[in-house]
Amino acid sequence: MIPSDLRMSSLSAALQDVSLLYLDGYSDEMALAVAKQADQMKIPILVDAEPERTREELGGLLSLASYIVCNGKFPEKWTSIPSIPSALLEILLQYPRACFAVVTLGENGCMMLERGKDGENYETEPVDIENVAESLRLKVDKDDILPTCVSSKFMRLTARGSGNIFARLLIGTAESIPASGLVDTTGCGDAFIGAVLHGLSTEMPPEKMLPFACQVASNVEQSAHDLAYHGNPIHA
């Protein structure tokens, strides 16, 4: 299906009771048409920014995104910045509508940069986001088995060669799973995004949403392990 196949009145009716829209950039022309209609209807949009998508496929969607979720490969590919914290800052600078950008990092959990709300205090000296990230990593309790979250306060964050933004950085940890329990991670990213969508829909604060999403993704991994252990095939 292409946008010309769909009447805007029909699309508007389909979105009438939608409170949050999820798009991933596949069928990019149709996804963008849906996103534009949702934007007109003031419906927030979460974009799953996959590294396989080109700028032509994804750029328009990201410009309308309220929330951005991606995996660890996307930030550097999109910004040419190898460090994830600095790349996240650049992404929020490029897309000022985005309330946050979060990157999934597999066994290393996830990282989120959350934009401060309009009207909050901007009169602070900029702080290098790499220093903030390092201080948060030191606060992570490596003895915790279950997912947790550490967060900076809201502050003006900057990176070398970039502007600055009033935001806070959060690191979510993943559940500690023995290597023998890691059989197939297929579906973990989708599970993480599903949990984020649930968190947004229920107004869950990021400090709770990130550990929750990591836990849901971990449950998918362990379910795959249980299936393999009992002799059932796992299909990608």
Side-chain angles (χ1 to χ4, degrees), residues 51 55 70-84 86-88 91 103:
R55 286 190 175 273
C70 61
N71 67 23
K73 296 179 181 179
F74 178 81
E76 181 176 1
K77 178 184 177 183
W78 200 258
T79 66
S80 300
I81 299 174
S83 170
I84 287 176
S86 295
L88 286 177
I91 288 171
V103 55

Side-chain angles (χ1 to χ4, degrees), residues 10-21:
S10 299
L11 180 54
S12 178
L15 293 172
Q16 192 63 46
D17 296 321
V18 173
S19 60
L20 177 61
L21 179 65

Side-chain angles (χ1 to χ4, degrees), residues 134-207:
E134 183 58 31
S135 68
L136 289 180
R137 292 186 185 104
L138 294 175
K139 291 181 181 179
V140 171
D141 187 346
K142 294 180 173 56
D143 293 329
D144 278 336
I145 297 176
L146 296 178
T148 60
C149 180
V150 293
S151 170
S152 74
K153 64 180 182 180
F154 281 101
M155 63 183 80
R156 283 177 64 194
L157 295 171
T158 189
R160 294 180 182 177
S162 297
N164 63 77
I165 185 173
F166 190 70
R168 65 170 175 164
L169 191 66
L170 302 95
I171 293 178
T173 65
E175 181 176 357
S176 179
I177 302 175
S180 59
L182 297 176
V183 177
D184 191 340
T185 59
T186 301
C188 290
D190 291 335
F192 183 95
I193 291 176
V196 169
L197 289 167
H198 172 77
L200 290 170
S201 298
T202 56
E203 300 183 352
M204 190 180 295
E207 295 91 338

